[in-house]
Amino acid sequence: LVDAKFMDTYPNQILVNKYMPGQGRDKHIDHPLFHDQIVYMSVGSPYIIKLENKDDKTAQVDVPVIPGSLIVFSGDARNNWVKSIPARTSDNYNIPNVIEQTWTRSVIISIIFRTVKSL
């Protein structure tokens, strides 16, 4: 991840989360204890991560997560956007006049790479 420039520091923590169909992750912002770049790798089912601006609740974005993809949260995306995975059994991803897809969820495995800052 460092060699490919996804992270500035080598991760010293790897977290693996397993979500069954219908499970999700509550709204959260990653703790400031971690370095700026946090990398999410997804395997298993496609799903949607919902982002909501912490200062403007009307600013929301659905991010499609495709198996095998990497998502890097850093800077504004890491510090000012609240992330969640809605608890549901399917996801609808729609961009009017561009794409409309529905994914039935199977097991989602999320692998998170992050670096705890030195204390």
Side-chain angles (χ1 to χ4, degrees):
L1 295 171
V2 172
D3 291 346
K5 308 289 187 226
F6 290 112
M7 298 180 80
D8 292 337
T9 58
Y10 287 97
N12 58 17
Q13 191 175 82
I14 299 172
L15 177 65
V16 179
N17 292 316
K18 178 181 179 181
Y19 303 97
M20 299 303 291
Q23 291 182 317
R25 173 74 165 92
D26 291 336
K27 293 180 179 183
H28 69 283
I29 293 179
D30 292 299
H31 197 280
L33 173 69
F34 304 110
H35 276 271
D36 186 49
Q37 296 94 7
I38 297 178
V39 177
Y40 288 72
M41 184 174 93
S42 180
V43 296
S45 179
Y47 63 98
I48 298 288
I49 290 180
K50 295 193 84 54
L51 300 178
E52 179 182 284
N53 187 282
K54 70 178 185 179
D55 298 321
D56 178 5
K57 304 294 188 228
T58 64
Q60 299 180 1
V61 178
D62 286 348
V63 178
V65 182
I66 307 302
S69 62
L70 287 178
I71 299 175
V72 180
F73 288 100
S74 67
D76 184 60
R78 181 204 183 302
N79 299 306
N80 296 317
W81 289 80
V82 178
K83 298 183 289 297
S84 68
I85 301 172
R88 53 189 177 208
T89 57
S90 65
D91 291 281
N92 297 311
Y93 184 64
N94 300 308
I95 300 174
N97 301 317
V98 177
I99 190 171
E100 182 174 337
Q101 289 188 325
T102 300
W103 300 311
T104 301
R105 285 191 192 172
S106 59
V107 175
I108 297 168
I109 304 291
S110 174
I111 305 167
I112 302 165
F113 300 87
R114 55 193 185 189
T115 307
V116 177
K117 295 177 183 177
S118 299
L119 301 176

